[in-house]
Amino acid sequence: MPETIKKGKVFVWEGETRKGFLTELSNFVEEVGKALKVKEEELCDMQVAIGEAAANSQEHSYEGQRGRLRLEILKDKGRIEICVTDWGKSSPDVEKVPEPKIVPDLAEVDLEGLGMMMIRRAMDEVEFSITSKGGHAVRMCKRIR
Amino acid sequence: MPETIKKGKVFVWEGETRKGFLTELSNFVEEVGKALKVKEEELCDMQVAIGEAAANSQEHSYEGQRGRLRLEILKDKGRIEICVTDWGKSSPDVEKVPEPKIVPDLAEVDLEGLGMMMIRRAMDEVEFSITSKGGHAVRMCKRIR
Amino acid sequence: MEISEKAYKRSTLIKVQGRLDMETSPDLEKYLNKVFKKGQYKVVVDLSGVDYISSAGLRVLVSGLKSARRYNRGDVRLSSLSPRLKDAFHLVGFHQLFQSFDKVEDAVGSF
Amino acid sequence: MEISEKAYKRSTLIKVQGRLDMETSPDLEKYLNKVFKKGQYKVVVDLSGVDYISSAGLRVLVSGLKSARRYNRGDVRLSSLSPRLKDAFHLVGFHQLFQSFDKVEDAVGSF
Ligand SMILES: Nc1ncnc2c1ncn2[C@@H]1O[C@H](COP(=O)(O)OP(=O)(O)O)[C@@H](O)[C@H]1O
Ligand SMILES: Nc1ncnc2c1ncn2[C@@H]1O[C@H](COP(=O)(O)OP(=O)(O)O)[C@@H](O)[C@H]1O
């Protein structure tokens, strides 16, 4: 793991996109995050975004080959500013990448049975029965800690 | 708000599905939850499941009319057991209600652009640019608290 | 349940106070439809005063969302959900359908 | 990254140790495919030893999920996600795709 380099107020990591570089980078971000006293969730988001950007540099800019990568992190008032730079093949359509379709179109959202789903998800066991006198009994159980 | 009735180890609410009964029921569950010292999230789940079951009794068993409803809550070791009973029109197909379709079929999940999406969601601002020397810079910013 | 309204330059803020259950949700539905009828489709619903939402309340919000987003004319965004409300949205995955903000200013400013 | 396996009566438990990123995810993919080839489609992935997952890792898990669920023959269920991993799954809504358990026993017992 390289030492945390600090130029003025900027934390800089510079290296090659060789085997293991994502782990190195991640350890660097961890150190910087601690030095800057960012919260755990914020550090987690930084790891995610920097990891993805660096992986893209290797995979797309350098087409899986080795290449130079620079990461700069700067804290300015209530903001963490991050810059990931590579010197690989440029492809000007990066901004036009579509969002993956994970959530369905709203028109397809069908809410029949929503109440029942809430009951099942909120409880650990659910049993619907017809009582001998007509009518219903909903028996539910929740394990508590 | 009716008093918290306790028969042996069982907490019982019994009343009519008249205007305001869902609020009454909810206050009762709150009291019982506190008496049983359940955790906040568990109490929240109890409120959800009981509220939905009671609403179904009024809406479906009693077709929107007034009717009698009984709620029993019992704590037994690490479990909260709940029973909601009504004496309305029975409809034996309650168990066959389909789950609402909120999450899409897996086959439709298209993961192109997943990395980019993670970057955008993890950060508050993201800017992709082509550097003057060829290559890319990804500038990102995260507001911290 | 009480509903109040405040007009902003680019959006309408609707503040709901009380429970959003089977009994009260129809009132919110009527209110939203009234706002949409006036041509205001950019709506923020401030839920800071709501500590319980049932499936009926969730349905009204989703149907508002559908109306608002039709023809790309607007959106229903949420603000100030309490931990209990967040739990209810997560239970059914609806946090994925709505843009949600901690602060009313951010929600209003997002349009 | 290290991967180990344990056979249960009704399912196979796969424990992953280390980062699940672009470099290591192909190994998990090969491992899962090997397990599926043996006709074992009821799989629990214990992620307690993983503190970072990238889009590449998430992709491998989803493609495993698709293979396992095909023809209703099985499922990939997760166990013991750390708070960081939970955050990553929530960020992209994938907590909705997987059944996930706090305890390995519960995950294994769920089949
Ligand atoms: N107590 C009940 N008596 C009869 N039918 C019921 C009862 N509870 C639920 N159901 C049936 O289950 C369906 C789904 O219930 P639910 O998920 O609560 O959604 P909703 O009540 O809004 O339709 C109802 O439409 C109804 O047909
Ligand atoms: N550094 C980069 N250089 C060139 N193209 C890129 C770069 N980063 C991302 N892209 C483009 O954006 C697309 C989506 O990227 P991403 O969401 O990370 O998914 P993946 O890399 O797995 O395809 C890539 O397929 C690629 O076409």
Side-chain angles (χ1 to χ4, degrees):
Chain A
M1 184 172 57
E3 271 178 81
T4 304
I5 305 162
K6 200 175 165 178
K7 292 187 180 159
K9 288 165 71 188
V10 188
F11 293 85
V12 183
W13 184 96
E14 198 162 333
E16 295 266 308
T17 58
R18 63 170 183 275
K19 197 166 181 304
F21 86 102
L22 288 169
T23 308
E24 271 185 39
L25 209 58
S26 183
N27 292 337
F28 175 80
V29 175
E30 196 83 29
E31 266 189 63
V32 174
K34 282 192 180 125
L36 295 178
K37 297 197 174 62
V38 303
K39 291 224 180 71
E40 169 64 17
E41 307 92 71
E42 291 156 354
L43 181 55
C44 176
D45 285 341
M46 287 169 63
Q47 293 280 22
V48 166
I50 291 168
E52 296 298 327
N56 278 341
S57 286
Q58 197 206 20
E59 201 182 343
H60 301 295
S61 301
Y62 295 126
E63 298 177 314
Q65 304 302 307
R66 275 195 190 202
R68 198 150 58 95
L69 185 91
R70 183 162 68 210
L71 164 66
E72 292 151 295
I73 304 177
L74 164 73
K75 184 173 164 182
D76 186 22
K77 286 161 207 157
R79 298 156 60 94
I80 300 283
E81 314 238 356
I82 298 162
C83 187
V84 177
T85 312
D86 67 54
W87 288 263
K89 182 174 82 78
S90 73
S91 82
D93 54 354
V94 209
E95 298 244 18
K96 293 190 196 115
V97 179
E99 281 246 315
K101 203 182 159 235
I102 298 166
V103 175
D105 290 339
L106 262 187
E108 293 168 21
V109 174
D110 177 1
L111 299 187
E112 222 215 293
L114 182 63
M116 291 293 196
M117 182 172 94
M118 290 174 83
I119 295 178
R120 291 206 165 88
R121 294 200 176 171
M123 294 285 123
D124 293 306
E125 292 163 29
V126 182
E127 191 194 296
F128 298 93
S129 58
I130 308 291
T131 60
S132 56
K133 292 163 193 153
H136 302 92
V138 186
R139 262 174 248 282
M140 311 181 273
C141 166
K142 175 94 190 156
R143 283 190 285 275
I144 56 173
R145 273 170 284 163
Chain B
M1 185 171 60
E3 271 178 82
T4 303
I5 306 162
K6 200 174 166 179
K7 292 185 181 161
K9 289 166 69 187
V10 188
F11 293 85
V12 183
W13 184 96
E14 199 163 331
E16 295 266 307
T17 60
R18 62 170 184 276
K19 196 165 181 301
F21 86 101
L22 289 168
T23 308
E24 270 184 41
L25 209 59
S26 183
N27 292 337
F28 175 80
V29 175
E30 196 83 31
E31 263 188 64
V32 174
K34 282 192 180 127
L36 295 177
K37 297 200 175 62
V38 302
K39 291 222 181 71
E40 171 63 18
E41 307 91 71
E42 291 155 355
L43 182 55
C44 178
D45 285 341
M46 287 168 63
Q47 292 280 22
V48 165
I50 292 167
E52 295 300 326
N56 277 341
S57 287
Q58 197 207 19
E59 201 182 342
H60 302 295
S61 300
Y62 295 127
E63 299 177 315
Q65 304 302 306
R66 277 194 188 200
R68 198 149 59 96
L69 186 91
R70 182 162 68 210
L71 165 66
E72 292 150 295
I73 303 177
L74 164 73
K75 183 173 166 183
D76 186 23
K77 286 161 205 154
R79 300 157 57 95
I80 301 282
E81 314 238 354
I82 298 163
C83 187
V84 177
T85 312
D86 66 54
W87 289 265
K89 184 174 80 83
S90 72
S91 82
D93 53 353
V94 211
E95 296 244 21
K96 292 189 196 117
V97 179
E99 280 247 317
K101 202 179 158 235
I102 297 166
V103 175
D105 289 341
L106 261 186
E108 293 167 21
V109 174
D110 175 3
L111 298 188
E112 221 215 294
L114 183 63
M116 292 291 195
M117 182 171 94
M118 290 174 82
I119 295 178
R120 285 189 222 273
R121 294 200 177 173
M123 294 286 124
D124 292 306
E125 291 163 30
V126 183
E127 192 194 294
F128 300 94
S129 58
I130 308 293
T131 63
S132 56
K133 293 160 193 157
H136 302 88
V138 186
R139 261 174 247 282
M140 309 182 273
C141 167
K142 175 96 188 153
R143 282 190 286 277
I144 55 173
R145 272 169 286 163
Chain C
M1 190 182 61
E2 278 168 42
I3 307 179
S4 61
E5 187 183 334
K6 194 168 166 182
Y8 284 81
K9 218 187 254 176
R10 302 174 49 82
S11 62
T12 301
L13 173 66
I14 292 176
K15 187 171 164 67
V16 184
Q17 199 88 32
R19 293 163 51 88
L20 259 177
D21 62 18
M22 187 179 63
E23 282 178 13
T24 57
S25 296
D27 293 342
L28 177 60
E29 184 156 37
K30 275 181 220 138
Y31 204 102
L32 281 172
N33 288 336
K34 198 188 70 183
V35 170
F36 295 153
K37 272 240 172 82
K38 288 191 274 177
Q40 294 159 357
Y41 295 105
K42 298 186 174 163
V43 172
V44 172
V45 182
D46 176 352
L47 292 169
S48 59
V50 177
D51 65 350
Y52 176 79
I53 189 164
S54 76
S55 60
L58 289 168
R59 271 203 189 87
V60 165
L61 289 174
V62 171
S63 94
L65 189 68
K66 285 189 192 183
S67 305
R69 288 194 184 161
R70 197 167 298 144
Y71 318 121
N72 249 327
R73 59 193 174 189
D75 199 6
V76 171
R77 301 190 179 157
L78 309 179
S79 98
S80 320
L81 277 72
S82 67
R84 281 202 185 182
L85 246 65
K86 278 189 188 158
D87 278 359
F89 276 83
H90 275 268
L91 194 66
V92 291
F94 280 17
H95 59 291
Q96 289 207 64
L97 302 178
F98 290 91
Q99 274 200 52
S100 173
F101 299 82
D102 286 343
K103 291 188 201 143
V104 175
E105 309 86 80
D106 293 341
V108 167
S110 72
F111 280 107
Chain D
M1 190 184 59
E2 279 168 40
I3 307 180
S4 61
E5 186 182 334
K6 194 167 167 184
Y8 284 81
K9 216 186 256 177
R10 304 175 47 83
S11 62
T12 302
L13 174 66
I14 292 176
K15 188 172 163 68
V16 184
Q17 199 86 30
R19 294 164 50 88
L20 259 176
D21 62 17
M22 187 178 65
E23 283 177 14
T24 56
S25 296
D27 293 342
L28 178 60
E29 185 156 35
K30 275 181 219 136
Y31 204 102
L32 280 173
N33 287 337
K34 199 188 72 185
V35 171
F36 295 152
K37 271 240 173 79
K38 289 191 273 177
Q40 293 159 357
Y41 295 104
K42 296 184 176 166
V43 173
V44 171
V45 182
D46 176 352
L47 293 168
S48 58
V50 176
D51 65 351
Y52 176 80
I53 188 162
S54 76
S55 61
L58 289 168
R59 271 205 189 83
V60 166
L61 289 175
V62 171
S63 95
L65 189 67
K66 285 190 193 185
S67 305
R69 287 194 186 162
R70 198 167 298 145
Y71 317 122
N72 249 327
R73 60 194 174 189
D75 198 6
V76 171
R77 302 192 178 156
L78 309 178
S79 97
S80 321
L81 278 72
S82 66
R84 281 202 185 185
L85 245 66
K86 278 188 189 159
D87 277 359
F89 275 82
H90 275 268
L91 194 65
V92 292
F94 280 16
H95 59 292
Q96 288 207 65
L97 301 179
F98 291 91
Q99 273 200 54
S100 174
F101 299 82
D102 287 341
K103 291 187 201 144
V104 176
E105 310 88 81
D106 292 340
V108 166
S110 72
F111 280 108

